[in-house]
Amino acid sequence: MVYLLIFLCFLIIILLHHIYQTRKKIQKIVKILDDIYSGNLDRRLIADENSEIRNLVYKINEIVIKDKNKLLEFNKAEKAYKKLVTSLSHDIRTPLASLTGYLEVLEKGTMRYEEQQKFLRIAKEKALNLNSYIQSLFEWLKLESGEWTYDFKEENICELTRLVLADWIIKFEEKNIDFNFDIPEEAIYSIVDRSAFNRIINNLLANMIKHSHANKLIVRIIDEISEVKILIIDNGVGIEEKDLPFIFDRLYKCDNSRTENSNGLGLAIAKELTASLNGMIDVNSCYGKGTTFKLKFPKSMDKA
């Protein structure tokens, strides 16, 4: 009987000690949780490997880490949108003020006919650049908001590319660009949205026209086993190595002659649309020698 009482006392002591230790741990956890609730998402709960609340602590830490990552993404997005608004304010207001200035001078009617024609050409060019920028902006916002609608169909990539290039021939000739289109006669099919595909090619060609200062262009389509590859090659000024990792980023502008009339959206739109078509886009460039943009799209399974 005495031994039983001693054993029970010993058991009660162990139990009370365990309750005390558990209470201390819970109090510590509550303190850390209060700190996290106050906004310190760098705090983490700690539990022994053999603790009964180990799984609970790990789960809470996972939730905190997830919330922190969401917060970081939100802050990053907020900064990006602030940068976008600042850039829009500058990129729209500056050419608009310049355009207004030219029109005000023309309105006075004190210029010779030749000067009037010159100012009209400049005003028209600035208006077209502004229109192009606004169009790119609306396209980007549609992509960002998920409002871009797609109509996926099986299309002949060779024929689609020819149709896009046909609209550029006059522009190439005006810019004295020697062009060569190396496109197979046989059809190569892929499931794409025609409008998105056209925008991708147009943006890459517009980028070349505006920024590369090239006088030679090659557009080549290569039929591979499971994919179709499109190469757009120019012999222009190229892109510096430090800029290559960022040229598809929204609003990024290279710190060289390629930034002339740049809105920083064309290549970002091309990348987003390419991804939407399950394709890939890449760029290789040698500064001072030229640039190659490479597109890849999966071929239709029954045509591969």
Side-chain angles (χ1 to χ4, degrees):
M1 188 66 176
V2 174
Y3 290 112
L4 180 60
L5 289 174
I6 295 174
F7 175 76
L8 289 174
C9 290
F10 182 72
L11 189 61
I12 291 171
I13 292 172
I14 292 176
L15 182 61
L16 290 174
H17 177 74
H18 180 73
I19 293 173
Y20 174 75
Q21 292 296 325
T22 301
R23 184 179 179 184
K24 283 185 62 178
K25 291 177 182 178
I26 292 174
Q27 288 175 340
K28 187 175 181 180
I29 289 173
V30 170
K31 185 178 181 180
I32 294 175
L33 287 174
D34 285 339
D35 200 13
I36 292 172
Y37 181 77
S38 299
N40 185 2
L41 297 180
D42 291 322
R43 293 299 302 271
R44 298 291 181 269
L45 304 180
I46 300 174
D48 297 332
E49 283 294 324
N50 298 323
S51 173
E52 296 86 348
I53 60 173
R54 180 190 61 180
N55 291 335
L56 175 62
V57 166
Y58 288 168
K59 184 60 67 176
I60 292 174
N61 284 337
E62 287 178 3
I63 294 172
V64 173
I65 293 171
K66 185 177 181 180
D67 285 346
K68 181 182 178 181
N69 290 337
K70 285 184 178 179
L71 181 62
L72 290 174
E73 287 297 321
F74 175 80
N75 290 336
K76 183 179 178 181
E78 187 178 28
K79 289 180 181 178
Y81 276 105
K82 286 181 179 178
K83 182 181 178 182
L84 175 61
V85 171
T86 302
S87 178
L88 291 178
S89 176
H90 175 269
D91 290 345
I92 292 178
R93 185 170 51 191
T94 300
L96 188 59
S98 178
L99 175 61
T100 303
Y102 279 104
L103 294 176
E104 287 175 348
V105 173
L106 286 167
E107 188 179 31
K108 293 178 181 179
T110 58
M111 306 176 67
R112 296 193 308 272
Y113 177 78
E114 293 79 8
E115 291 178 327
Q116 287 181 351
Q117 294 302 306
K118 178 182 178 181
F119 271 46
L120 280 171
R121 286 194 297 270
I122 295 174
K124 180 181 178 182
E125 182 179 351
K126 290 185 177 296
L128 290 174
N129 287 337
L130 187 58
N131 179 68
S132 175
Y133 181 80
I134 293 173
Q135 182 179 352
S136 295
L137 175 60
F138 279 129
E139 288 178 347
W140 175 258
L141 292 176
K142 283 173 66 178
L143 283 170
E144 282 282 272
S145 63
E147 294 180 0
W148 188 294
T149 56
Y150 297 92
D151 182 19
F152 288 98
K153 294 181 180 178
E154 187 175 66
E155 301 279 2
N156 179 359
I157 295 299
C158 296
E159 184 61 24
L160 280 186
T161 306
R162 288 193 195 95
L163 291 174
V164 176
L165 293 173
D167 293 333
W168 282 90
I169 290 177
I170 294 177
K171 191 70 173 179
F172 295 152
E173 292 175 345
E174 288 177 352
K175 295 290 185 178
N176 295 316
I177 297 174
D178 182 23
F179 55 88
N180 177 34
F181 303 149
D182 183 10
I183 301 176
E185 290 296 327
E186 61 272 15
I188 305 174
Y189 292 94
S190 179
I191 304 295
V192 298
D193 172 77
R194 179 185 287 256
S195 176
F197 180 85
N198 290 349
R199 175 51 55 197
I200 294 166
I201 303 298
N202 280 323
N203 281 14
L204 294 178
L205 293 175
N207 179 78
M208 186 275 296
I209 288 282
K210 289 181 181 179
H211 311 309
S212 74
H213 306 292
N215 58 21
K216 289 185 179 180
L217 168 71
I218 298 173
V219 178
R220 178 175 296 140
I221 294 182
I222 302 173
D223 185 3
E224 299 191 338
I225 296 174
S226 59
E227 62 188 15
V228 53
K229 184 186 298 182
I230 304 173
L231 303 179
I232 298 177
I233 308 165
D234 70 59
N235 68 337
V237 297
I239 305 169
E240 291 191 64
E241 187 175 353
K242 66 181 180 64
D243 293 314
L244 281 174
F246 310 106
I247 64 167
F248 294 111
D249 291 353
R250 181 185 59 188
L251 301 179
Y252 187 80
K253 300 179 182 181
C254 303
D255 188 22
N256 56 35
S257 58
R258 295 186 68 95
T259 62
E260 181 184 356
N261 295 325
S262 175
N263 57 44
L265 292 173
L267 293 181
I269 291 172
K271 181 180 180 180
E272 289 291 325
L273 289 176
T274 301
S276 298
L277 303 186
N278 296 315
M280 295 179 62
I281 186 170
D282 195 12
V283 59
N284 293 314
S285 187
C286 182
Y287 189 59
K289 293 185 178 181
T291 301
T292 298
F293 283 96
K294 179 168 58 178
L295 294 163
K296 292 181 179 180
F297 296 101
K299 290 168 61 176
S300 300
M301 294 302 295
D302 58 335
K303 305 290 177 106

